[in-house]
Amino acid sequence: QVQLVESGGGLVQPGGSLRLSCAASGSIFSIYTMAWYRRAPGKQRELVARITSGGSTAYGSSVKGRFTISRDTAKNTMYLQMNSLKPEDTAVYYCYAIINSRANEYWGQGTQVTVSS
């Protein structure tokens, strides 16, 4: 059974930084695309950032230039470095990954990020 576990969320002041982690565990042979999504209260889920197995990245327009996605293949772990945080970044952040087969999609349980003074 494959599991994704996020960590690193919390409360931060505007302009501050946080680093989220997503660790994949279980019977893993290969991880394809990994991504971070978020859902703010009253809004639809949106893509924050995506990283392929080859290391190619893509970002949502609202976070480009402020957030950086990365992954450690050896540790089956993905990261999201979030800088210059704004109140509108407040949301539950979810880890997503395609693992072992391109038909197998997994989600983490989510981690709350709150940006407030």
Side-chain angles (χ1 to χ4, degrees), residues 2-3 8 10 15 25 36 41 49 56-57 68 70 75 83 90 102-103 110 116:
V2 173
Q3 190 175 20
S25 62
W36 290 98
S56 297
T57 60
T68 302
S70 62
K75 295 182 178 179
N83 298 329
T90 295
R102 297 191 183 277
S116 175

Side-chain angles (χ1 to χ4, degrees), residues 15-18 63 65-68 81-86 89:
S17 299
L18 278 177
V63 307
R66 299 187 297 122
F67 291 9
T68 302
Q81 179 65 44
M82 305 186 293
N83 298 329
S84 302
L85 283 160
K86 305 174 181 179
D89 294 317

Side-chain angles (χ1 to χ4, degrees), residues 4-10 12 18-22 35-41 45-49 62-63 66-69 78-96 107-115:
L4 299 178
V5 178
E6 301 104 332
S7 60
V12 63
L18 278 177
R19 188 193 195 206
L20 304 184
S21 299
C22 171
W36 290 98
Y37 286 80
R38 68 185 182 187
R39 176 171 282 160
R45 184 178 63 197
E46 66 169 336
L47 174 68
V48 177
S62 62
V63 307
R66 299 187 297 122
F67 291 9
T68 302
I69 190 171
M78 173 179 64
Y79 306 96
L80 184 69
Q81 179 65 44
M82 305 186 293
N83 298 329
S84 302
L85 283 160
K86 305 174 181 179
E88 50 264 43
D89 294 317
T90 295
V92 178
Y93 284 70
Y94 296 92
C95 172
Y96 164 90
W107 291 90
Q109 80 287 352
T111 185
Q112 177 70 46
V113 171
T114 301
V115 184

Side-chain angles (χ1 to χ4, degrees), residues 26-73:
S27 298
I28 297 172
F29 304 103
S30 60
I31 301 179
Y32 298 96
T33 294
M34 300 186 79
W36 290 98
Y37 286 80
R38 68 185 182 187
R39 176 171 282 160
K43 295 187 177 181
Q44 290 188 333
R45 184 178 63 197
E46 66 169 336
L47 174 68
V48 177
R50 179 179 66 238
I51 185 167
T52 68
S53 56
S56 297
T57 60
Y59 296 90
S61 58
S62 62
V63 307
K64 197 173 296 184
R66 299 187 297 122
F67 291 9
T68 302
I69 190 171
S70 62
R71 63 193 286 179
D72 185 329
T73 302

